[in-house]
Amino acid sequence: QVHLAESGGGLVQAGGSLELSCAASLPTFTSHRAAWFRQAPGEERKFVATIDWSGSTTSYADSVKGRFTISRDNAEKMVYLQMNALRPEDTAVYYCAVHADGRSDLARAYHNWGQGTQVTVSS
């Protein structure tokens, strides 16, 4: 049973933009924090951005601050990641996660994960 489904990944040139979407079928989605993580080949899964249940508080990894924006639509049960000024080092599989216990920048804190969407940024 798939609870989170990401979409919107693709191939883009450096400096370009993409918007990732995450559709949630979790009944408790509106009560929980959501986040985006990414994983490049041979690397661990890393924090990108997080948003609280209401959408009023967000936090970002230093590497994406000022370029990426996380948002959510609780009525539609969606989480978004707008990515601007993309760089080759942003290339990774991007994962949506929901429901954190503990530190919101740690992957192990999240209960629910999507299957990921590939983002490739060419130089």
Side-chain angles (χ1 to χ4, degrees), residues 2-7 21-26 76-79 96:
V2 176
H3 293 299
L4 299 172
E6 301 95 337
S7 61
S21 300
C22 174
S25 59
L26 291 161
E76 298 294 328
K77 290 191 174 181
M78 297 290 294
V79 184
C96 176

Side-chain angles (χ1 to χ4, degrees), residues 24-100:
S25 59
L26 291 161
T28 58
F29 171 78
T30 57
S31 301
H32 294 298
R33 173 174 296 281
W36 289 93
F37 286 76
R38 66 187 182 187
Q39 188 167 17
E43 297 185 8
E44 64 182 13
R45 196 166 295 188
K46 295 179 181 178
F47 170 72
V48 175
T50 186
I51 188 166
D52 73 342
W53 69 273
S54 70
S56 61
T57 304
T58 59
S59 179
Y60 298 89
D62 287 344
S63 59
V64 307
K65 204 171 292 184
R67 300 187 297 123
F68 291 10
T69 302
I70 188 171
S71 62
R72 68 189 295 164
D73 183 337
N74 282 344
E76 298 294 328
K77 290 191 174 181
M78 297 290 294
V79 184
Y80 303 98
L81 185 69
Q82 177 65 45
M83 305 186 295
N84 298 326
L86 282 161
R87 305 167 180 168
E89 54 263 39
D90 294 318
T91 295
V93 177
Y94 283 70
Y95 296 90
C96 176
V98 171
H99 190 175

